[in-house]
Structures are given as C-alpha cells and as structure tokens.
Amino acid sequence: MKRLHVHVAVENLDRSIGFYSALFGADPAVVKDDYAKWMLDDPKVNFAISDRAAVPGVDHLGIQVDSSDELTELAGRLKAAGETTRDQQAATCCYARSDKAWVKDPSGLSWETFFTFGEATAYGEDQPPAAVEDRPKAACC
C-alpha cells in the first residue's frame, strides 16, 4: 500500500504542531526539536513539518511504499518514462533510514519516492535534487 508524503517547512514548529494536531485530530507520531510527523490513515498520508528550510511552504512531496520491490517498480516507471532519478540507498533523513529515488516534476517540484526500514537518532543531511544554493537549509526527507 502506498502513502502520500507531504513535507512542509514552517516558521514556528510549536505553533504548527498545535495547528496540524487540531486539523488532523491527532498528535504527531514523531516529535523532535526541529521536526514532527503524522502517520495518518484518513487521509492516508505521511505528513511532516520542520523548521529547517530557509523559506516556509511546501518543501517536497512524495510517495512512501511498503517494500523495496515497490520502490524499484515505482522508480522503474519514472526511468522508463525518460525521467532522471537520484537514487539513494540507506539514506539517513528525518530521523529515519530509507532507500529513495528523487525526481523533479516538469515544474521543478521535488518528489521523493521511498521505502523506510528503520529509525535514526539524527535528522540527517540528505538533500533532494533541488539546488542547495537555492535552499541552504532544505529539509532532507
């Protein structure tokens, strides 16, 4: 089963946690000093926020899959369609360990396709395919 992933950069993490907890009717599953994540079933979404980006707003979108085989199939579809992916194995990002394939849509929006297989004690330093100079504190997940 696939789950939509949305990562939003926020200015004030505590206020944003309060807002999104009220909106979703649920507390986040993960809360760190610079990050929070909700794993919602209705709607089926992995919704994350962080205060690490230079500019607030949508940082990136993604599709979380349940297995490495699903990730291989999804990234394969993108490559077969002529898209260039940036593949990562065992990336540490957003306090998790994941295999990933990043791609940009025709408008330049970053999409992360990923399979998470473990937790991490640090946020991580993974970077989506956005230019680092455009977003010096870009979120990694």
Side-chain angles (χ1 to χ4, degrees):
M1 178 180 306
K2 294 173 184 64
R3 181 184 297 265
L4 182 66
H5 170 57
V6 178
H7 189 115
V8 175
V10 299
E11 291 180 313
N12 184 305
L13 190 68
D14 289 334
R15 281 194 55 193
S16 296
I17 288 172
F19 172 82
Y20 287 111
S21 293
L23 177 66
F24 299 141
D27 292 329
V30 175
V31 176
K32 304 291 183 180
D33 291 340
D34 55 355
Y35 174 84
K37 175 175 72 175
W38 289 257
M39 295 294 284
L40 303 170
D41 288 326
D42 185 19
K44 190 104 176 139
V45 65
N46 167 340
F47 184 86
I49 60 175
S50 70
D51 61 5
R52 300 175 60 90
V55 179
V58 174
D59 186 81
H60 66 273
L61 300 172
I63 298 175
Q64 182 175 9
V65 298
D66 290 331
S67 71
S68 58
D69 288 342
E70 276 187 302
L71 179 59
T72 299
E73 189 268 330
L74 182 52
R77 281 200 321 258
L78 291 165
K79 291 172 186 166
E83 300 297 333
T84 300
T85 64
R86 185 171 69 88
D87 301 329
Q88 296 177 291
Q89 299 295 311
T92 297
C93 183
C94 298
Y95 301 97
R97 304 275 295 153
S98 304
D99 291 337
K100 304 179 179 196
W102 288 93
V103 67
K104 286 193 172 197
D105 78 2
S107 298
L109 182 63
S110 295
W111 278 83
E112 171 190 31
T113 60
F114 63 103
F115 166 61
T116 298
F117 53 83
E119 295 182 8
T121 58
Y123 187 89
E125 294 303 323
D126 174 43
Q127 293 292 318
V132 174
E133 61 273 9
D134 290 344
R135 293 161 58 176
K137 288 180 65 184
C140 68
C141 57

